PDB file of all heavy atoms in Angstrom:
ATOM      1  N   GLY A 682      87.695-130.224 -60.978  1.00  0.00           N
ATOM      2  CA  GLY A 682      87.031-131.521 -61.080  1.00  0.00           C
ATOM      3  C   GLY A 682      87.732-132.488 -62.017  1.00  0.00           C
ATOM      4  O   GLY A 682      87.117-133.443 -62.488  1.00  0.00           O
ATOM      5  N   LEU A 683      89.008-132.260 -62.282  1.00  0.00           N
ATOM      6  CA  LEU A 683      89.760-133.117 -63.196  1.00  0.00           C
ATOM      7  C   LEU A 683      90.083-134.438 -62.516  1.00  0.00           C
ATOM      8  O   LEU A 683      90.301-134.506 -61.308  1.00  0.00           O
ATOM      9  CB  LEU A 683      91.064-132.437 -63.601  1.00  0.00           C
ATOM     10  CG  LEU A 683      90.933-131.151 -64.428  1.00  0.00           C
ATOM     11  CD1 LEU A 683      92.249-130.400 -64.435  1.00  0.00           C
ATOM     12  CD2 LEU A 683      90.532-131.504 -65.847  1.00  0.00           C
ATOM     13  N   PRO A 684      90.122-135.529 -63.265  1.00  0.00           N
ATOM     14  CA  PRO A 684      90.535-136.805 -62.684  1.00  0.00           C
ATOM     15  C   PRO A 684      92.033-136.811 -62.360  1.00  0.00           C
ATOM     16  O   PRO A 684      92.787-135.965 -62.848  1.00  0.00           O
ATOM     17  CB  PRO A 684      90.210-137.816 -63.783  1.00  0.00           C
ATOM     18  CG  PRO A 684      90.262-137.026 -65.045  1.00  0.00           C
ATOM     19  CD  PRO A 684      89.769-135.653 -64.702  1.00  0.00           C
ATOM     20  N   THR A 685      92.431-137.761 -61.534  1.00  0.00           N
ATOM     21  CA  THR A 685      93.850-137.871 -61.149  1.00  0.00           C
ATOM     22  C   THR A 685      94.716-138.004 -62.390  1.00  0.00           C
ATOM     23  O   THR A 685      94.436-138.803 -63.289  1.00  0.00           O
ATOM     24  CB  THR A 685      94.023-139.105 -60.240  1.00  0.00           C
ATOM     25  OG1 THR A 685      93.225-138.948 -59.084  1.00  0.00           O
ATOM     26  CG2 THR A 685      95.468-139.231 -59.829  1.00  0.00           C
ATOM     27  N   GLY A 686      95.785-137.212 -62.413  1.00  0.00           N
ATOM     28  CA  GLY A 686      96.739-137.281 -63.524  1.00  0.00           C
ATOM     29  C   GLY A 686      96.397-136.423 -64.691  1.00  0.00           C
ATOM     30  O   GLY A 686      97.207-136.280 -65.639  1.00  0.00           O
ATOM     31  N   ALA A 687      95.215-135.772 -64.701  1.00  0.00           N
ATOM     32  CA  ALA A 687      94.824-134.954 -65.841  1.00  0.00           C
ATOM     33  C   ALA A 687      95.156-133.489 -65.589  1.00  0.00           C
ATOM     34  O   ALA A 687      95.150-133.024 -64.470  1.00  0.00           O
ATOM     35  CB  ALA A 687      93.308-135.099 -66.099  1.00  0.00           C
ATOM     36  N   THR A 688      95.432-132.773 -66.680  1.00  0.00           N
ATOM     37  CA  THR A 688      95.709-131.353 -66.613  1.00  0.00           C
ATOM     38  C   THR A 688      94.831-130.632 -67.630  1.00  0.00           C
ATOM     39  O   THR A 688      94.441-131.204 -68.650  1.00  0.00           O
ATOM     40  CB  THR A 688      97.195-131.023 -66.908  1.00  0.00           C
ATOM     41  OG1 THR A 688      97.523-131.506 -68.215  1.00  0.00           O
ATOM     42  CG2 THR A 688      98.091-131.687 -65.867  1.00  0.00           C
ATOM     43  N   ALA A 689      94.544-129.360 -67.349  1.00  0.00           N
ATOM     44  CA  ALA A 689      93.717-128.564 -68.247  1.00  0.00           C
ATOM     45  C   ALA A 689      94.475-127.288 -68.612  1.00  0.00           C
ATOM     46  O   ALA A 689      95.049-126.631 -67.755  1.00  0.00           O
ATOM     47  CB  ALA A 689      92.383-128.204 -67.587  1.00  0.00           C
ATOM     48  N   THR A 690      94.486-126.968 -69.893  1.00  0.00           N
ATOM     49  CA  THR A 690      95.071-125.704 -70.375  1.00  0.00           C
ATOM     50  C   THR A 690      94.082-124.997 -71.287  1.00  0.00           C
ATOM     51  O   THR A 690      93.304-125.641 -72.006  1.00  0.00           O
ATOM     52  CB  THR A 690      96.397-125.965 -71.142  1.00  0.00           C
ATOM     53  OG1 THR A 690      96.137-126.860 -72.242  1.00  0.00           O
ATOM     54  CG2 THR A 690      97.439-126.571 -70.226  1.00  0.00           C
ATOM     55  N   PHE A 691      94.112-123.674 -71.204  1.00  0.00           N
ATOM     56  CA  PHE A 691      93.253-122.842 -72.062  1.00  0.00           C
ATOM     57  C   PHE A 691      94.141-122.012 -72.981  1.00  0.00           C
ATOM     58  O   PHE A 691      95.169-121.485 -72.580  1.00  0.00           O
ATOM     59  CB  PHE A 691      92.409-121.906 -71.190  1.00  0.00           C
ATOM     60  CG  PHE A 691      91.389-122.584 -70.322  1.00  0.00           C
ATOM     61  CD1 PHE A 691      91.732-122.998 -69.046  1.00  0.00           C
ATOM     62  CD2 PHE A 691      90.111-122.839 -70.789  1.00  0.00           C
ATOM     63  CE1 PHE A 691      90.810-123.629 -68.242  1.00  0.00           C
ATOM     64  CE2 PHE A 691      89.190-123.466 -69.980  1.00  0.00           C
ATOM     65  CZ  PHE A 691      89.514-123.879 -68.703  1.00  0.00           C
ATOM     66  N   ASN A 692      93.730-121.905 -74.226  1.00  0.00           N
ATOM     67  CA  ASN A 692      94.435-121.083 -75.174  1.00  0.00           C
ATOM     68  C   ASN A 692      93.445-120.208 -75.932  1.00  0.00           C
ATOM     69  O   ASN A 692      92.744-120.648 -76.795  1.00  0.00           O
ATOM     70  CB  ASN A 692      95.212-121.962 -76.177  1.00  0.00           C
ATOM     71  CG  ASN A 692      96.082-121.101 -77.105  1.00  0.00           C
ATOM     72  OD1 ASN A 692      96.416-119.967 -76.802  1.00  0.00           O
ATOM     73  ND2 ASN A 692      96.442-121.685 -78.230  1.00  0.00           N
ATOM     74  N   PRO A 693      93.319-118.875 -75.496  1.00  0.00           N
ATOM     75  CA  PRO A 693      94.071-118.227 -74.427  1.00  0.00           C
ATOM     76  C   PRO A 693      93.394-118.479 -73.086  1.00  0.00           C
ATOM     77  O   PRO A 693      92.261-118.967 -73.032  1.00  0.00           O
ATOM     78  CB  PRO A 693      93.987-116.731 -74.806  1.00  0.00           C
ATOM     79  CG  PRO A 693      92.657-116.651 -75.509  1.00  0.00           C
ATOM     80  CD  PRO A 693      92.486-117.938 -76.277  1.00  0.00           C
ATOM     81  N   ALA A 694      94.126-118.120 -72.009  1.00  0.00           N
ATOM     82  CA  ALA A 694      93.607-118.322 -70.653  1.00  0.00           C
ATOM     83  C   ALA A 694      92.617-117.236 -70.253  1.00  0.00           C
ATOM     84  O   ALA A 694      91.912-117.387 -69.276  1.00  0.00           O
ATOM     85  CB  ALA A 694      94.758-118.379 -69.647  1.00  0.00           C
ATOM     86  N   SER A 695      92.592-116.134 -70.978  1.00  0.00           N
ATOM     87  CA  SER A 695      91.673-115.027 -70.711  1.00  0.00           C
ATOM     88  C   SER A 695      91.098-114.516 -72.025  1.00  0.00           C
ATOM     89  O   SER A 695      91.841-114.380 -73.008  1.00  0.00           O
ATOM     90  CB  SER A 695      92.396-113.911 -69.960  1.00  0.00           C
ATOM     91  OG  SER A 695      91.532-112.823 -69.731  1.00  0.00           O
ATOM     92  N   VAL A 696      89.796-114.267 -72.053  1.00  0.00           N
ATOM     93  CA  VAL A 696      89.160-113.766 -73.250  1.00  0.00           C
ATOM     94  C   VAL A 696      88.307-112.561 -72.910  1.00  0.00           C
ATOM     95  O   VAL A 696      87.967-112.359 -71.742  1.00  0.00           O
ATOM     96  CB  VAL A 696      88.270-114.855 -73.946  1.00  0.00           C
ATOM     97  CG1 VAL A 696      89.115-116.044 -74.351  1.00  0.00           C
ATOM     98  CG2 VAL A 696      87.136-115.266 -73.032  1.00  0.00           C
ATOM     99  N   THR A 697      87.959-111.780 -73.893  1.00  0.00           N
ATOM    100  CA  THR A 697      86.963-110.742 -73.723  1.00  0.00           C
ATOM    101  C   THR A 697      85.612-111.337 -74.074  1.00  0.00           C
ATOM    102  O   THR A 697      85.498-112.026 -75.113  1.00  0.00           O
ATOM    103  CB  THR A 697      87.270-109.545 -74.609  1.00  0.00           C
ATOM    104  OG1 THR A 697      88.542-109.015 -74.253  1.00  0.00           O
ATOM    105  CG2 THR A 697      86.212-108.474 -74.456  1.00  0.00           C
ATOM    106  N   SER A 698      84.609-111.149 -73.233  1.00  0.00           N
ATOM    107  CA  SER A 698      83.316-111.795 -73.471  1.00  0.00           C
ATOM    108  C   SER A 698      82.862-111.559 -74.906  1.00  0.00           C
ATOM    109  O   SER A 698      82.891-110.433 -75.403  1.00  0.00           O
ATOM    110  CB  SER A 698      82.272-111.299 -72.473  1.00  0.00           C
ATOM    111  OG  SER A 698      82.156-109.885 -72.483  1.00  0.00           O
TER     112      SER A 698
END
Side-chain angles (χ1 to χ4, degrees):
L683 295 164
T685 301
T688 59
T690 57
F691 294 90
N692 186 19
S695 178
V696 299
T697 300
S698 55

